[in-house]
Amino acid sequence: MRIAVLASGRGSNFQALLDAANSGESNGQFDGEFVGVFSDRPEAPVLQRAATAGIPAWSAAPAGFASRAEFDAALFSAITAIQPQLIVMAGYMRIVSEAHVAQWRGRMINIHPSLLPKYTGLRTHARVLAAGDAEHGATVHFVTAQLDGGPPIAQARIGVQPGDTTATLAQRVLGREHPLLVATVAAIAHGDIALADDSVLYRGRPLAMPLQLDAQGALQRTDGNPHPP
Ligand code: GRF
């Protein structure tokens, strides 16, 4: 599968995908080719990771464009030119205009550090602590026009411990984000996941609840609709 990655920062989620695709004796955990990395921050460390891996990168600062529409037109024309089959937003900190979201519907996913639908947007770790939640985590979802609001595909959960800070939560959630994103992209590459209208199909059947990442890094169906072996 030809995969494009959008990222704004450090790129540890991108690195996890890259390592998983290239690991092992054969093709690794999934058969994926990273055809481009795209960023709205020309100084983002993710671009260095792309260069090290020999993957083409594109970046531009939105300040150099007259509008969001113009920036997105340039970005998505660069993306379309490399013909990806899947776009992964891995820490891409910018809203994408609706026309492009619609164009890539069902083929663009995002990872968000909360158990959606809780805590869309920013500062998720601080908001979990302020609310006194016992549980936190991350979600991979299809991208729609609603910010962090598209149909969820899979989640990873962690317990919130006494003494946790935003830094400890961010670190533990990130440690689960990596296997969550790898397992979800692997399932998509394998043809197990699709978007039909507003529901996610897993092996052809609608998910009533997002898949859950288990301790071994495998995705499990938990909505009482077990998948065939
Ligand atoms: C992750 O926590 C991701 O969920 C959030 O931004 C962070 C990106 O981390 N949206 P990295 O750039 O992948 O290291």
Side-chain angles (χ1 to χ4, degrees):
M1 192 172 64
R2 293 172 63 82
I3 303 169
V5 172
L6 265 67
S8 300
R10 162 181 65 181
S12 70
N13 275 290
F14 163 59
Q15 189 71 53
L17 287 174
L18 199 56
D19 293 347
N22 295 327
S23 67
E25 289 172 9
S26 58
N27 275 329
Q29 292 178 45
F30 61 89
D31 192 4
E33 184 191 354
F34 292 90
V35 290
V37 172
F38 299 83
S39 185
D40 59 331
R41 299 213 180 128
E43 74 291 353
V46 69
L47 296 169
Q48 188 51 52
R49 295 184 193 267
T52 303
I55 296 167
W58 179 100
S59 72
F65 294 79
S67 63
R68 178 181 302 281
E70 283 192 24
F71 175 79
D72 281 354
L75 169 63
F76 278 88
S77 109
I79 293 175
T80 302
I82 55 150
Q83 300 186 300
Q85 292 159 294
L86 178 70
I87 300 176
V88 179
M89 291 185 175
Y92 185 65
M93 304 303 285
R94 205 179 144 77
I95 292 169
V96 171
S97 25
E98 275 187 37
H100 299 289
V101 168
Q103 183 192 354
W104 288 92
R105 188 180 166 86
R107 296 177 294 156
M108 182 152 66
I109 62 171
N110 178 50
I111 185 159
H112 180 75
S114 81
L115 295 173
L116 292 172
K118 288 185 118 178
Y119 312 120
T120 61
L122 299 174
R123 298 181 51 255
T124 59
H125 310 303
R127 288 154 70 199
V128 163
L129 286 176
D133 290 358
E135 220 182 17
H136 186 24
T139 306
V140 178
H141 63 93
F142 280 111
V143 176
T144 63
Q146 237 186 326
L147 177 71
D148 300 325
I153 304 166
Q155 292 182 321
R157 293 168 185 270
I158 63 159
V160 179
Q161 310 296 342
D164 261 330
T165 63
T166 54
T168 61
L169 281 184
Q171 188 184 22
R172 284 216 309 293
V173 169
L174 190 70
R176 299 297 285 155
E177 283 183 42
H178 298 162
L180 175 67
L181 190 58
V182 167
T184 307
V185 169
I188 294 172
H190 197 246
D192 284 342
I193 290 170
L195 181 63
D197 298 323
D198 276 333
S199 70
V200 176
L201 304 183
Y202 182 58
R203 298 182 177 169
R205 282 183 280 164
L207 280 179
M209 291 235 328
L211 299 166
Q212 301 292 317
L213 188 75
D214 70 16
Q216 283 70 45
L219 295 176
Q220 301 294 345
R221 184 161 202 147
T222 59
D223 61 358
N225 192 358
H227 54 72

